[in-house]
Amino acid sequence: MIRLFIWFVLLSILLISPFLGAVDLHLKDIFHSSSLSAQIFYELRLPRVLFTFFAGTILALSGLLFQTLFRNPLMTPYTLGISSGATLGAGIAIKLGMGSLLFGIGAVSLFGFFGAMLTIFLLLYLSQFLRGSQQSSLLLLGIALSLFYTSALMLIFYLGNTVQNDMLIRFTMGSLSIIGWNDPLLLGLIAALLTLAIYAYRFELQLLGISEESAKLKGVESKKVTLWLLSFASLAIGVLVSISGPIGFIGLIVPHIVTKIYPLTIEKRIIKTALFGGFFLVLCDTITRALPTQSELPIGIITALIGGPFFIYLIISRRQ
Amino acid sequence: MIELQKLSCFYEDQTILENISQKFPKHLSILGANGSGKSTLAKALCHLTPYRGIILLDNKRVERYSAKALAKKIAYIPTKLEFYDEFLTVGEFVLLGRFAHKESFFDYTQKDKEIAQNYIKLLGLQHFSRQRLNSLSSGETALVLIAQALTQESQIIIFDEPTANLDPKNAKIVAKHIKDLKQTHQTVLITHDIHLAHFINNPVLFLKNKTAHYFEEYFFTDENLSKLYDVPIKSLAVQYD
């Protein structure tokens, strides 16, 4: 009953969301295709809500995936520095003034994607040298990489001119202000593929969620599955970050809330986490647009403000 | 059938076992002091740890098997089950034994579920089926592990110190199951417990000083045990005074 109510509220927010913002729209306006309201609705609000939903799906699912594969609730693409890697990559492209396309793909996207992939492979390579309390060491490696990337980004700021820096600062805050349908369609495709890939490997993940040894003994090619799923999730994160900038902590918060609502094994939480992640980010984004501030707040700031304390709570509650 | 040819195993940089060649009989108990390499050997058999030399499983090298094919040959039961997924139920856990038999990407079939249910019943666990794994005692967990290994329907079952964490009553229950399973499976029993090994009564491979000593019979004599374990042993019990 309570579960149904939660889903109902989230769905309602999704439906109301496109009508809220700097200009409040009315239902009757959007059917007059020539009106300004209809233009705002179809070219700005609707694509944005869909983009946000898919972004939430990708962030939540990759969080769930990382937590399961590393068997640690603190592991997410964000805490492991993969988002920062993508941010740095995209930042370099912006600094170099590479607004144009390379092979039909935006240079910023391409650099963001390489930043994410480089980071995950670096982490996997370095993790070979870890022994003993591997998991927490890996987390520390991720944090070390994040710090390094942040400093590198600072260097780019230092070298950049005012116009570039303004772009960069806005980018690193995370923003969902997109225009038109290209980005939502691309992200929708990636979100669908990621969901499908993780769902296809649901039983492998269930075994890997016990232990790596257990998975191998039952017949999972654990190295192959882990590498392929991590790479795919990092690719998705790379593309997302290069469009929206880093949006932190969704991958940490959403899987945790979903396990509170549905205390079930991972196999039964994949689709629920995907949907909940989408709804949750739309909720956060609706808040940023509905708040009576001068200009709308960057989404990354909101999620970090909620996520930071939540991260601390998770660390403390794990120790007990 | 398992055969070792010039097998050497390592832990970190240390050599644990050196140059062991041994054909396993249908049933075998592996004994030895702490740190003599019993568990390392078991893990090498399941291709969980690197080694030098050759391990043949039905005349084919272990590393040539795919993970699924190996799981159909060998089921390994650990001493202690460690798991991250705190929401997993007993029924779901036992069903995972069918993974190697399942089509990739598809759900477990009705037949898989029936097989799992049957073994859950055989081990007397039907009342726990919907309970979470982390709510069970060590004795119950030991039975769940056996049910999962049986669900795997492999030729060989390896028991890695199955009674190490159990009280005498549960140890007896598990020991009886191991003895029964000798009718239907090839078994490898790794243990410290001389009484258990005596009860199961397999030929023994004794690991000591990096090498292995094989005893087809006459292993459980006071003289032999005292010599191998470097401590006076009488009627299968250590003499403390």
Side-chain angles (χ1 to χ4, degrees):
Chain A
M1 199 53 209
I2 249 180
R3 291 171 182 168
L4 216 62
F5 178 71
I6 292 170
W7 288 112
F8 176 75
V9 168
L10 288 171
L11 186 67
S12 314
I13 290 165
L14 180 84
L15 293 177
I16 299 166
S17 179
F19 297 97
L20 300 174
V23 186
D24 283 335
L25 306 177
H26 296 286
L27 192 57
K28 62 179 189 322
D29 298 340
I30 63 172
F31 297 112
H32 301 290
S33 54
S34 55
S35 69
L36 179 67
S37 293
Q39 238 179 357
I40 293 176
F41 184 80
Y42 290 111
E43 290 303 312
L44 291 177
R45 297 282 173 79
L46 206 54
R48 175 175 181 150
V49 169
L50 286 177
F51 181 86
T52 306
F53 186 87
F54 297 137
T57 296
I58 291 173
L59 291 167
L61 265 188
S62 39
L64 178 69
L65 183 71
F66 276 61
Q67 288 158 8
T68 308
L69 289 175
F70 294 115
R71 291 168 287 280
N72 185 328
L74 303 178
M75 299 284 191
T76 66
Y78 189 79
T79 47
L80 282 175
I82 289 159
S83 294
S84 314
T87 310
L88 179 62
I92 291 172
I94 293 174
K95 162 68 188 152
L96 296 177
M98 296 166 74
S100 62
L101 301 177
L102 286 176
F103 318 112
I105 307 166
V108 177
S109 293
L110 213 58
F111 272 61
F113 161 67
F114 280 129
M117 295 307 270
L118 188 77
T119 309
I120 188 68
F121 288 125
L122 199 60
L123 279 176
L124 289 175
Y125 174 73
L126 290 174
S127 70
Q128 293 175 356
F129 302 105
L130 301 176
R131 265 184 198 159
S133 58
Q134 224 195 34
Q135 299 307 332
S136 44
S137 310
L138 191 66
L139 198 60
L140 287 177
L141 274 181
I143 291 167
L145 279 177
S146 286
L147 290 173
F148 175 79
Y149 291 146
T150 308
S151 312
L153 206 60
M154 289 293 166
L155 187 67
I156 294 175
F157 278 137
Y158 183 73
L159 298 172
N161 60 39
T162 327
V163 179
Q164 284 171 341
N165 281 357
D166 195 50
M167 265 177 83
L168 270 173
I169 287 176
R170 290 200 165 267
F171 179 76
T172 54
M173 286 175 182
S175 163
L176 293 162
S177 317
I178 55 142
I179 299 166
W181 284 94
N182 286 344
D183 292 336
L185 289 178
L186 172 69
L187 213 61
L189 180 71
I190 292 174
L193 287 177
L194 184 66
T195 310
L196 199 69
I198 293 179
Y199 188 72
Y201 285 103
R202 62 199 177 284
F203 294 112
E204 280 84 348
L205 284 170
Q206 201 178 13
L207 275 165
L208 284 161
I210 297 172
S211 68
E212 186 167 6
E213 188 178 281
S214 195
K216 277 186 187 166
L217 286 166
K218 293 290 166 282
V220 179
E221 307 278 354
S222 61
K223 280 227 166 69
K224 216 169 80 183
V225 173
T226 304
L227 189 67
W228 145 240
L229 285 176
L230 284 183
S231 307
F232 193 25
S234 302
L235 182 153
I237 291 290
V239 173
L240 169 63
V241 168
S242 65
I243 300 171
S244 71
I247 300 169
F249 297 113
I250 296 294
L252 203 68
I253 299 170
V254 171
H256 191 79
I257 297 176
V258 174
T259 57
K260 287 283 177 225
I261 308 175
Y262 295 98
L264 302 169
T265 177
I266 160 126
E267 178 235 328
K268 296 185 171 127
R269 268 188 285 128
I270 294 169
I271 303 297
K272 296 179 178 87
T273 305
L275 291 174
F276 198 93
F279 285 132
F280 188 79
L281 195 60
V282 170
L283 170 69
C284 293
D285 181 48
T286 310
I287 293 172
T288 67
R289 278 187 286 131
L291 280 181
T293 45
Q294 265 190 336
S295 64
E296 70 183 49
L297 285 172
I299 182 75
I301 292 183
I302 294 286
T303 60
L305 282 177
I306 305 171
F310 188 80
F311 192 47
I312 294 170
Y313 156 76
L314 269 188
I315 293 170
I316 292 171
S317 67
R318 248 163 54 88
R319 292 269 175 253
Q320 285 163 353
Chain B
M1 204 57 67
I2 301 170
E3 186 178 350
L4 315 178
Q5 292 177 357
K6 297 191 174 165
L7 179 78
S8 299
C9 295
F10 311 92
Y11 184 75
E12 313 233 312
D13 296 330
Q14 277 188 319
T15 309
I16 300 279
L17 296 170
E18 205 165 19
N19 243 344
I20 296 177
S21 297
Q22 180 68 47
K23 232 180 179 147
F24 281 30
K26 187 161 183 224
H27 303 288
L28 180 72
S29 295
I30 301 177
L31 281 82
N34 289 332
S36 59
K38 301 188 297 296
S39 284
T40 309
L41 176 57
K43 289 193 171 166
L45 294 178
C46 305
H47 200 209
L48 287 175
T49 177
Y51 57 85
R52 261 212 311 268
I54 296 173
I55 300 174
L56 290 176
L57 191 60
D58 287 338
N59 297 316
K60 190 173 152 186
R61 294 179 68 149
V62 164
E63 63 267 30
R64 298 264 167 83
Y65 284 89
S66 71
K68 279 191 174 183
L70 192 62
K72 286 181 190 171
K73 287 274 176 201
I74 298 187
Y76 170 86
I77 300 182
T79 316
K80 196 169 182 292
L81 179 67
E82 281 174 11
F83 53 95
Y84 166 67
D85 186 345
E86 56 186 309
F87 303 114
L88 203 63
T89 65
V90 170
E92 288 163 343
F93 180 76
V94 173
L95 186 59
L96 286 171
R98 297 301 295 167
F99 181 82
H101 299 267
K102 184 181 78 67
E103 288 289 335
S104 296
F105 310 129
F106 285 96
D107 264 302
Y108 293 94
T109 62
Q110 203 53 45
K111 191 181 150 231
D112 289 328
K113 287 174 189 165
E114 277 164 24
I115 291 170
Q117 275 309 314
N118 285 341
Y119 287 118
I120 286 175
K121 275 195 199 118
L122 183 75
L123 276 292
L125 294 165
Q126 53 273 42
H127 303 300
F128 298 106
S129 198
R130 284 165 182 279
Q131 270 191 39
R132 283 192 199 158
L133 212 49
N134 60 5
S135 70
L136 302 187
S137 70
S138 304
E140 290 151 0
T141 308
L143 296 180
V144 170
L145 283 167
I146 294 176
Q148 195 198 40
L150 289 175
T151 303
Q152 203 168 329
E153 297 198 322
S154 57
Q155 260 176 46
I156 304 168
I157 301 183
I158 300 178
F159 297 89
D160 192 351
E161 308 205 18
T163 56
N165 291 324
L166 304 183
D167 60 41
K169 189 181 162 199
N170 281 307
K172 191 181 165 190
I173 294 172
V174 168
K176 271 202 62 85
H177 280 296
I178 298 172
K179 192 150 199 177
D180 289 346
L181 292 178
K182 284 174 70 176
Q183 308 295 325
T184 48
H185 292 73
Q186 295 175 43
T187 60
V188 177
L189 169 67
I190 294 163
T191 185
H192 277 301
D193 186 340
I194 311 174
H195 285 95
L196 175 68
H198 185 248
F199 172 69
I200 301 297
N201 203 20
N202 294 338
V204 171
L205 192 69
F206 193 89
L207 303 181
K208 194 177 184 183
N209 300 331
K210 298 179 192 173
T211 55
H213 308 271
Y214 180 68
F215 298 86
E216 181 81 43
E217 47 192 346
Y218 308 122
F219 175 79
F220 296 99
T221 64
D222 290 344
E223 192 191 1
N224 188 42
L225 289 172
S226 305
K227 196 178 84 197
L228 288 170
Y229 279 105
D230 298 319
V231 65
I233 290 177
K234 205 170 172 185
S235 315
L236 300 180
V238 175
Q239 301 301 297
Y240 283 102
D241 45 16

